[in-house]
């Protein structure tokens, strides 16, 4: 669960030399003034003990002392006692106008900082109904949004963020972060797209925003947009991961630009020595019909892992490099491909017009696995030999 730091709380004058001083009885006013002086002289413990020892007879005096005790307890780090005293002061209903508002705000903020979100929310909503001109309504709605966020009340988060933005006249990072979190939880994918675009505008080097935007665009079936997003991130120098860059290559291939996909794979770390990356790159070059480049990269992959020898041999055969294909076919060790290898040799020798060797391999293929293809080759090659003779 995320924790939020209390900022600028209780930053209000605590001196009784205010417009409310006249509302206190003289004896309590003197004690409160003394406690205030002790607090200002960093004698917080003495100030608390002085106030605790008071037993006001007037209800307003009692509420005011509890309010002050709540502030002092918070300053001393005793949140529970601060909450108790501030709650009593607020619930008395005797504090006046802005004094009452500020006290409730203190209580709500301390409850929030204590992760008592359900208790804090009613106070924040009460405060939101009447915000003094010298108070920050946008910050108030930020606290409301934060509380709902912690309670995973996602629709309420969105409502609170919208209220906050109206006071701000713009959307800032705090609002956008919470809005995005709520939208993702509610699976509001389309709504999350402009939110992420706004976050990218504010933090263009934050890779997570680019990654999330691409992921959502793919989820929405917008592969074209996803490619543009990832390509733009790369151009702008965002620190994309190797996985991101590999995804970019896939997007290029899906878009029908396999040569860009191959080039992107070639830029990955270890692309020149990793047999898997070499094989992927070779496939993309093949898709791009860049046969010479594909052969070159398949050869590099096969030299590092023999399982790619078959693909190399097939491409050599396709491109008419029959003797080179035969050399590579000799090196294929996968027994599951034994019959296919023999049939590939048949084709190579046939193209080289060596029908004797071709029929030998056709019979070998038929012995391994008799198929219509192997039988057809045997019949055809026997006819060719008879014609030659």
């Amino acid at each position: 669960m995320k924790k939020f730091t209390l900022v600028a709380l209780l930053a209000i004058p605590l001196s009784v030399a205010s417009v409310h001083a006249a509302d206190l009885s003289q004896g309590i006013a003197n004690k409160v003034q003394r406690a205030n002086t002790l607090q200002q002289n960093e004698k917080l413990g003495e100030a608390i003990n002085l106030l605790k020892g008071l037993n006001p007879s007037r209800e307003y005096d009692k509420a005011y002392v509890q309010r002050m005790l709540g502030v002092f307890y918070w300053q001393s780090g005793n949140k529970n006692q601060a909450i108790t005293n501030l709650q009593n002061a607020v619930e008395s209903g005797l504090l006046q106008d802005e004094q009452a508002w500020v006290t409730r705000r203190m209580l709500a903020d301390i409850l929030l900082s204590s992760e008592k979100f359900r208790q804090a929310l009613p106070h924040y909503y009460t405060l939101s109904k009447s915000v003094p001109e010298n108070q920050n309504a946008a910050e108030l709605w930020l606290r409301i949004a934060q509380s709902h966020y912690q309670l995973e009340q996602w629709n309420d988060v969105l409502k609170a963020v919208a209220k906050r933005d109206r006071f701000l006249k713009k959307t800032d990072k705090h609002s956008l972060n919470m809005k995005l979190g709520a939208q993702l939880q509610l699976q509001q994918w389309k709504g999350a797209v402009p939110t992420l675009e706004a976050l990218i505008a504010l933090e263009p080097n934050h890779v997570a925003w680019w990654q999330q935007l691409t992921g959502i665009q793919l989820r929405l079936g917008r592969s074209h947009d996803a490619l543009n997003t990832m390509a733009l991130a790369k151009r702008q120098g965002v620190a994309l991961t190797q996985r991101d860059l590999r995804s970019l290559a896939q997007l290029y291939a899906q878009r029908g630009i396999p040569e860009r996909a191959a080039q992107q794979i070639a830029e990955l770390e270890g692309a020149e020595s990793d047999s898997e990356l070499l094989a992927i790159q070779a496939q993309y070059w093949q898709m791009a019909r860049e046969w010479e480049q594909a052969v070159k990269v398949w050869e590099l992959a096969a030299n590092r892992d023999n399982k790619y020898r078959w693909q190399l041999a097939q491409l050599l055969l396709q491109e008419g490099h029959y003797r080179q294909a035969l050399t590579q076919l000799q090196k294929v060790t996968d027994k599951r491909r034994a019959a296919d290898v023999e049939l590939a040799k048949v084709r190579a020798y046939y193209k080289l017009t060596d029908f004797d060797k071709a029929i030998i391999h056709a019979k070998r293929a038929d012995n391994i696995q008799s198929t219509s293809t192997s039988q057809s080759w045997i019949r055809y090659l026997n006819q060719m030999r008879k014609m030659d003779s």
Side-chain angles (χ1 to χ4, degrees):
M1 179 175 286
K2 292 183 179 178
K3 293 185 179 180
F4 299 103
T5 304
L6 234 57
V7 179
L9 276 184
L10 313 184
I12 58 172
L14 298 179
S15 171
V16 294
S18 67
V19 292
H20 301 292
D23 298 324
L24 293 170
S25 62
Q26 187 61 46
I28 294 299
N30 291 337
K31 296 290 187 181
V32 163
Q33 181 65 64
R34 173 64 179 153
N36 192 51
T37 301
L38 288 168
Q39 182 266 350
Q40 290 175 350
N41 290 329
E42 299 183 359
K43 296 179 179 180
L44 198 54
E46 292 181 39
I48 290 172
N49 289 332
L50 173 59
L51 293 175
K52 280 172 60 179
L54 298 180
N55 187 23
S57 57
R58 293 178 63 220
E59 290 301 315
Y60 177 77
D61 289 355
K62 186 183 297 184
Y64 193 96
V65 168
Q66 287 177 325
R67 171 184 181 273
M68 202 167 182
L69 263 174
V71 174
F72 288 174
Y73 273 125
W74 176 81
Q75 291 176 337
S76 69
N78 190 336
K79 288 184 179 180
N80 289 333
Q81 281 297 325
I83 289 169
T84 298
N85 282 274
L86 288 173
Q87 225 154 18
N88 290 336
V90 167
E91 290 171 2
S92 73
L94 296 169
L95 299 179
Q96 301 166 16
D97 304 326
E98 188 176 348
Q99 185 187 36
W101 195 96
V102 171
T103 304
R104 188 183 291 274
R105 172 63 191 273
M106 286 191 290
L107 173 60
D109 282 346
I110 294 172
L111 287 168
L112 176 63
S113 74
S114 302
E115 298 186 2
K116 297 181 179 183
F117 308 110
R118 292 187 192 279
Q119 291 172 252
L121 274 169
H123 293 293
Y124 281 126
Y125 276 112
T126 298
L127 292 164
S128 71
K129 293 174 184 176
S130 177
V131 183
E133 289 185 5
N134 64 342
Q135 297 295 329
N136 189 333
E139 186 180 341
L140 190 68
W141 282 103
L142 173 63
R143 305 291 188 184
I144 292 172
Q146 288 172 338
S147 298
H148 284 303
Y149 194 96
Q150 297 301 312
L151 294 169
E152 300 182 1
Q153 296 168 339
W154 308 118
N155 284 311
D156 290 322
V157 171
L158 294 177
K159 291 175 187 175
V161 166
K163 289 259 190 177
R164 177 174 190 259
D165 289 348
R166 282 200 287 272
F167 284 104
L168 283 176
K169 310 297 184 187
K170 62 178 181 178
T171 300
D172 68 358
K173 186 171 71 172
H174 295 297
S175 289
L176 289 169
N177 267 302
M178 285 189 291
K179 185 177 182 179
L180 176 64
Q183 287 172 326
L184 295 180
Q185 291 294 331
L186 293 169
Q187 298 186 3
Q188 295 181 358
W189 311 121
K190 288 184 180 179
V193 169
T195 305
L196 279 162
E197 289 173 340
L199 280 165
I200 286 171
L202 286 174
E203 297 181 318
N205 293 320
H206 191 60
V207 67
W209 305 143
W210 295 93
Q211 291 168 333
Q212 287 182 300
L213 178 56
T214 303
I216 288 173
Q217 287 168 332
L218 288 172
R219 184 185 286 272
L220 291 170
R222 302 176 184 173
S223 58
H224 179 86
D225 291 339
L227 172 58
N228 290 341
T229 296
M230 194 62 75
L232 178 60
K234 184 188 174 189
R235 284 199 301 273
Q236 292 191 356
V238 178
L240 297 173
T241 66
Q242 293 295 292
R243 183 177 179 180
D244 293 332
L245 294 171
R246 194 162 171 170
S247 296
L248 176 57
Q250 291 174 338
L251 288 168
Y252 276 128
Q254 291 169 12
R255 179 84 175 277
I257 318 174
E259 63 275 14
R260 291 291 297 274
Q263 291 164 357
Q264 180 56 60
I265 292 294
E267 293 176 12
L268 295 178
E269 293 175 5
E272 295 180 359
S273 57
D274 186 299
S275 61
E276 182 187 354
L277 290 177
L278 285 166
I280 293 170
Q281 186 187 154
Q283 287 169 352
Y284 287 146
W285 283 123
Q286 208 163 326
M287 288 169 62
R289 298 180 179 274
E290 295 284 349
W291 310 119
E292 185 177 339
Q293 189 66 17
V295 166
K296 177 182 175 183
V297 181
W298 274 125
E299 190 168 10
L300 290 172
N303 288 340
R304 284 163 177 77
D305 191 331
N306 199 60
K307 71 179 181 181
Y308 298 117
R309 193 73 60 183
W310 171 244
Q311 287 90 335
L312 171 59
Q314 282 186 304
L315 186 56
L316 287 167
L317 199 58
Q318 172 191 305
E319 291 305 295
H321 304 303
Y322 303 119
R323 296 196 183 283
Q324 290 174 261
L326 286 167
T327 300
Q328 297 302 326
L329 287 167
Q330 285 297 110
K331 299 176 183 179
V332 177
T333 57
D334 188 348
K335 293 181 180 179
R336 294 170 298 179
R337 296 194 181 278
D340 292 331
V341 167
E342 293 301 326
L343 288 172
K345 289 178 181 178
V346 172
R347 184 180 169 192
Y349 281 118
Y350 170 75
K351 290 291 185 178
L352 292 168
T353 65
D354 191 338
F355 302 133
D356 289 337
K357 286 185 179 179
I359 199 168
I360 289 171
H361 289 287
K363 289 178 178 178
R364 285 181 183 175
D366 195 61
N367 287 334
I368 295 168
Q369 185 179 359
S370 184
T371 63
S372 59
T373 302
S374 61
Q375 289 290 322
S376 295
W377 268 117
I378 291 169
R379 286 194 298 271
Y380 177 70
L381 289 167
N382 275 328
Q383 290 173 0
M384 294 297 294
R385 290 173 71 190
K386 286 178 183 178
M387 290 173 62
D388 281 353
S389 63

